[in-house]
Structures are given as C-alpha cells and as structure tokens.
Amino acid sequence: MERLQKVIASCGVCSRRKAEELIQEGKVKVDGKIITEMGFKVSLKNNIEVDGIKIQQQDKEYYILNKPRGVVSTARDDKGRKTVIDLIDTDKRIYPVGRLDYDTTGLLLLTNDGKFANDLMHPKNEIDKVYVAKVKGIAKAEHVIPMQNGMVIDGIKIAKAKVKVKKTDFKTNTSIVEVIIHEGHNHQVKKMFEAVGLEVLKLKRERIAFLTLKGLTSGKYRKLNAKEIKQLYDFVNHKK
Ligand code: URA
C-alpha cells in the first residue's frame, strides 16, 4: 500500500504535488468515495478516479526537449497558449519536470514517471541545473559574490550558486553569465540577478546533470535512452 498522491503520480497523471492539490480539492475518488485525507493508503487494486477518470499504470516515457521561447511549460494553459506537451508526439500523459518561464529557452525533461520527476526536482538530490543568462550591464564581483554566498529571495534563503562571468561586452553594455543551481524556485535565476541589480535579457538552461542539448535545435526533442535514464536514477539515489 502506498500514499494516494504517490500512486496517482506513479501513473503519470501529474506530479505528486499536483496530486496533493487535486486530493485537497475533492477531485479524487477511491472506490467511489471522495478522499481528501492526505496520505490515505491505496494500491492499484483500488479503483482510483481523478476528475472522473480511472487511473492506470502506464509504460514510462522520458523525453529531453530544447524548449523554444513563447511556449508554456505546463501540461495545460488556461489562456490557450501553446504548451511543451504540444511539441511532443505521444499518447502518454507526460508532463514537464519543473518549469521554464514562457520566455526561457533550453533543456526541459518531460516524463510520466512521477517518482522520477519528484526526485529530480528535489534540491536535496543536488542535481546541477546550468543556466546561461544574457544580462544588461557589466557583471562584476559585486554582482557575482552575493549570488555565490546564497541570498534571500521572496523571504526564502536560497542555496549558494556557482556563478561565472563568461563574457562582457562594453559596446552593448551586456554580459553573459553562467549560473549553476540545484533548486527550482519560481523565476529563481531572474530574481537572483534582479536582487544584484542586473536585468536578464535572455535565459537558457543548457544542462541538467550530465544531459546537454547536443544535437537538439530549438523545438526538437528525443527520448532519453536506457543508459541515460539509469544514470539519472543513480544520480538521485546518490550512486553517482
Ligand atoms: N529561473 C528563472 O528565472 N526562469 C526560468 O525559466 C528558470 C529558472
């Protein structure tokens, strides 16, 4: 027997966090009864319905996408905008592992494996997420050091980041800065720069753990291969 939210996520319906919201909202039934108790124990032998649809175990799929600008990284969008799911040809109910902003480009993983998504997103697993930002202004030590020391953003203490200034251009008054973090707070990288007085003009995620965008132009995707999936599992199980 497992916790209800875990079973829902393991069937690829949504992330565990989203499953908790659906349970709280009374949208989940077990054997015909609405369950709002968090942590209610079930197995797949129970008849579990989410929004009136019976959940079933699915084959797991794992994708890496080079997200273009102007696409939302949620499974559905209230405003009817194009989503990252629209870019991938699958009949499985996959969803993104974490989010990239509408105007952020780069590496996004998508899966219907709830545990995998949850583990990859958890900061305790210290998975490197490598971002490259083009910022307005000349990035100097006074900007970089606070980011390296850990800052408070929206009242939350965030962990130390690895920060490297890759290029400065005095003509255009811009800089290219690489930032490596393990967390994924909302708009984290943009807010970190904002806090030190630099505006982000462009943001791209170039790497997650050992995965890069090699061979994937903007908007293109591929399935992860078995070796990559195993390596990621080993990463989150600390068998690096
Ligand atoms: N940080 C941001 O500010 N935006 C993203 O899309 C990802 C990380």
Side-chain angles (χ1 to χ4, degrees), residues 10-151:
S10 77
C11 288
V13 177
C14 55
S15 66
R16 208 182 301 177
R17 223 172 297 158
K18 180 73 191 168
E20 286 171 0
E21 281 172 31
L22 293 170
I23 293 167
Q24 260 163 8
E25 289 164 11
K27 292 187 176 159
V28 177
K29 277 187 189 170
V30 177
D31 299 332
K33 257 198 220 143
I34 292 178
I35 301 293
T36 51
E37 180 196 329
M38 215 48 68
F40 187 82
K41 293 278 171 67
V42 289
S43 80
L44 278 168
K45 286 187 192 134
N46 292 103
N47 181 10
I48 304 166
E49 288 172 61
V50 177
D51 263 344
I53 298 166
K54 182 174 168 23
I55 66 165
Q56 280 167 343
Q57 195 67 268
Q58 294 185 41
D59 290 340
K60 304 279 191 272
E61 288 189 348
Y62 306 83
Y63 294 91
I64 174 171
L65 165 74
N66 186 351
K67 178 193 171 297
R69 263 169 188 260
V71 178
V72 284
S73 52
T74 48
R76 254 162 281 148
D77 183 53
D78 298 341
K79 296 181 194 148
R81 291 173 297 183
K82 194 171 191 170
T83 78
V84 286
I85 307 297
D86 296 332
L87 299 175
I88 295 184
D89 185 16
T90 176
D91 56 1
K92 299 286 186 306
R93 293 176 69 174
I94 57 166
Y95 49 87
V97 179
R99 284 187 189 180
L100 291 178
D101 296 334
Y102 189 65
D103 59 353
T104 300
T105 60
L107 201 161
L108 188 67
L109 296 174
L110 301 103
T111 184
N112 56 353
D113 182 340
K115 176 167 168 24
F116 175 84
N118 218 56
D119 286 350
L120 268 186
M121 278 189 285
H122 205 294
K124 82 166 194 278
N125 286 320
E126 301 195 343
I127 305 277
D128 276 356
K129 296 183 192 124
V130 181
Y131 294 89
V132 174
K134 180 177 183 182
V135 299
K136 195 168 160 190
I138 301 300
K140 303 188 189 117
E142 71 197 65
H143 305 110
V144 168
I145 290 167
M147 294 166 101
Q148 287 173 330
N149 287 344
M151 10 179 34

Side-chain angles (χ1 to χ4, degrees), residues 99-101 104 131 185-191 203:
R99 284 187 189 180
L100 291 178
D101 296 334
T104 300
Y131 294 89
H185 299 295
N186 239 356
H187 314 303
Q188 181 167 339
V189 177
K190 288 179 190 164
K191 285 183 177 170
L203 186 62

